[in-house]
Amino acid sequence: MSIELRNVSKSFGEVTAVSGVSFSVEEGELLALLGPSGGGKTTVLRMIAGLETPTGGDVLIRGNRVNDLSIQKRNIGFVFQNYALFKNMTVFKNIAFGLKIKKWRAGDIQNRVMELLTLFGLEDLEKRYPHQLSGGQRQRVAIARALSPKPSVLLLDEPFGAVDARIRQDLREWLVRLHHDLKVTTIFVTHDQEEAMEVSNRIVIFSRGHLEQMGTPREVYEQPANEFVARFIGVMNVLELEVLRGIARIGELEFPAPESSDGAKIRIGFRPYAVQVSADPNEFRYKATLRHTFFLGIMLRLEFELPSGLTIRARMTKEEYAHRELEDGVQVSFQIRNYKILSGGKSQLHLESSIPIEPPPPIAEGI
Ligand code: ATP
């Protein structure tokens, strides 16, 4: 175990930024802290770094309680958005900075910096100043600087927030490769769910200071712990239904609800990939009109309108769409292959039909 938080809380006066959070990070893991703005992600990261002291609970690094340990003694490298490179220092000096503080020998500093420049693809840039670098290069230098003293943990706060979309994509892939090569335990903060899904081994999802769920990208996508997670990670159809004689209904859709009493409301969620569509209007029970097709790369998102006016979203590949000869305005039939009761019933995954559920398509594609 590399890092552990036990029931950690942090208040700033009246504001509770983090409330009773517990989780642990394995040695060598790449973990994302994900959540909407103000969720408490940065505060958690700053408590691990030693920049904030918890109001309650304990932070442990490799089994040792570090609540009162100074930043310098924690052996942590960090890149925070507001910790820019030193403007008056070259790339070489920026990367060497932490080593000088630690009083490394000049020859060792030279070797270590050269090693990092090569590893990070920054050869030939060592004499440049930060203003002579691209945004992507600056971020790589910042990470090289954080890693130069060989920290046991690397913390990154929105590391790619300031660069444009294409460079951000390159940097994400680069970070995955770097982590694969170095295997330094890394925690990064992001509010971008696609970034978290693509880059990390596991994700911790925060909202309003609470930990909502921790799991692999696949777990949080396929088995969201609650409605907040279900809606935050990817697209989900969420319906509120009323129960009558063991059946929950909205418009023409019906789901069994044997455990709920008459008049009770339940909320049901299902992913677009759980909707099986047929171009034959009579193949499945429910009928609908294809209203809009959204092109998202190789996957398409489809919006269907039921006769009652209800809208549901489905997804499929371009090939499937072409094969079924679909286009906006056509009549189709559909069934919902699995769904989850989000509230008002026993929360678990339900299978509506006997058709085996295929694994969902790659998550970052048009969720
Ligand atoms: P963002 O994605 O916007 O950075 P976040 O999830 O990282 O958000 P935090 O920065 O941890 O959230 O903030 C959590 C809450 O704590 C917010 O309501 C914020 O206003 C509050 N907060 C954070 N730092 C302080 C501080 N130094 N003083 C007072 N309130 C603070």
Side-chain angles (χ1 to χ4, degrees):
M1 201 83 73
S2 184
I3 292 174
E4 191 180 349
L5 271 73
R6 287 190 192 154
N7 203 22
V8 168
S9 299
K10 177 72 188 178
S11 301
F12 297 100
E14 303 272 279
V15 181
T16 304
V18 175
S19 182
V21 163
S22 302
F23 67 88
S24 51
V25 190
E26 301 296 328
E27 199 74 51
E29 195 169 12
L30 177 47
L31 185 90
L33 306 184
L34 173 69
S37 184
K41 312 175 294 289
T42 297
T43 306
V44 166
L45 207 69
R46 289 173 61 85
M47 287 192 281
I48 296 170
L51 292 160
E52 300 287 357
T53 311
T55 326
D58 290 324
V59 178
L60 292 91
I61 298 181
R62 291 188 169 155
N64 299 314
R65 184 178 176 277
V66 296
N67 289 34
D68 310 309
L69 204 65
S70 68
I71 311 172
Q72 292 76 14
K73 292 196 174 137
R74 292 191 188 197
N75 194 23
I76 282 179
F78 47 83
V79 178
F80 285 167
Q81 264 182 339
N82 52 351
Y83 279 73
L85 294 174
F86 303 119
K87 292 190 179 64
N88 55 345
M89 287 188 198
T90 61
V91 166
F92 186 100
K93 286 192 171 165
N94 262 286
I95 299 176
F97 183 79
L99 306 177
K100 283 204 165 156
I101 300 273
K102 291 200 161 184
K103 301 201 175 4
W104 279 36
R105 288 179 36 243
D108 293 340
I109 293 180
Q110 176 76 21
N111 292 343
R112 177 70 177 149
V113 175
M114 295 321 280
E115 179 190 20
L116 286 164
L117 288 170
T118 310
L119 185 69
F120 281 50
L122 295 166
E123 305 99 326
D124 307 331
L125 300 180
E126 64 193 80
K127 295 200 176 73
R128 293 219 194 153
Y129 287 87
H131 74 273
Q132 297 169 317
L133 301 173
S134 71
Q137 288 166 341
R138 268 199 292 270
Q139 282 313 91
R140 281 186 280 150
V141 174
I143 294 176
R145 184 178 66 176
L147 282 174
S148 64
K150 303 192 175 175
S152 58
V153 178
L154 177 65
L155 304 179
L156 308 169
D157 190 359
E158 299 269 1
F160 313 135
V163 291
D164 70 41
R166 208 189 61 74
I167 311 262
R168 191 154 68 230
Q169 183 59 38
D170 290 347
L171 284 170
R172 284 179 193 172
E173 289 168 16
W174 169 82
L175 179 66
V176 171
R177 284 196 302 273
L178 180 78
H179 179 261
H180 182 263
D181 292 344
L182 299 183
K183 301 205 167 39
V184 176
T185 308
T186 304
I187 307 178
F188 77 101
V189 162
T190 179
H191 60 264
D192 181 336
Q193 45 112 348
E194 206 177 288
E195 183 161 286
M197 298 290 241
E198 204 175 309
V199 172
S200 58
N201 306 128
R202 286 195 302 162
I203 303 176
V204 188
I205 299 167
F206 290 94
S207 148
R208 297 185 185 169
H210 293 275
L211 191 160
E212 300 286 346
Q213 188 171 3
M214 177 168 195
T216 64
R218 189 160 198 140
E219 280 163 0
V220 297
Y221 183 76
E222 287 182 19
Q223 294 148 32
N226 53 39
E227 186 169 338
F228 172 81
V229 176
R231 284 174 174 266
F232 195 70
I233 303 281
V235 173
M236 180 164 257
N237 292 287
V238 177
L239 304 172
E240 188 167 278
L241 305 95
E242 194 167 325
V243 178
L244 197 63
R245 287 188 287 279
I247 305 283
R249 288 191 179 82
I250 182 169
E252 42 283 272
L253 298 183
E254 292 184 349
F255 298 83
E259 286 162 29
S260 308
S261 50
D262 278 7
K265 295 249 195 280
I266 67 169
R267 290 169 77 77
I268 276 177
F270 50 94
R271 296 286 186 199
Y273 72 81
V275 179
Q276 190 181 20
V277 179
S278 168
D280 173 357
N282 297 315
E283 183 173 350
F284 297 123
R285 173 175 174 191
Y286 300 121
K287 301 187 190 340
T289 306
L290 175 54
R291 284 289 176 228
H292 297 289
T293 305
F294 298 92
F295 292 86
L296 308 166
I298 55 164
M299 295 305 292
L300 308 179
R301 187 178 314 139
L302 313 176
E303 258 181 32
F304 292 99
E305 190 180 323
L306 279 70
S308 63
L310 203 64
T311 297
I312 63 152
R313 288 167 293 180
R315 52 177 280 166
M316 65 176 65
T317 62
K318 257 187 198 163
E319 287 71 28
E320 202 181 335
Y321 186 82
H323 175 71
R324 292 176 192 275
E325 298 181 350
L326 293 176
E327 58 180 2
D328 288 358
V330 299
Q331 301 291 312
V332 300
S333 62
F334 72 91
Q335 66 172 354
I336 297 158
R337 290 186 296 179
N338 60 78
Y339 61 94
K340 192 172 161 55
I341 296 184
L342 299 170
S343 65
K346 212 172 152 199
S347 180
Q348 60 183 40
L349 190 69
H350 293 259
L351 307 181
E352 266 257 294
S353 77
S354 54
I355 300 168
I357 299 169
E358 317 148 8
I363 276 159
E365 273 299 332
I367 32 184

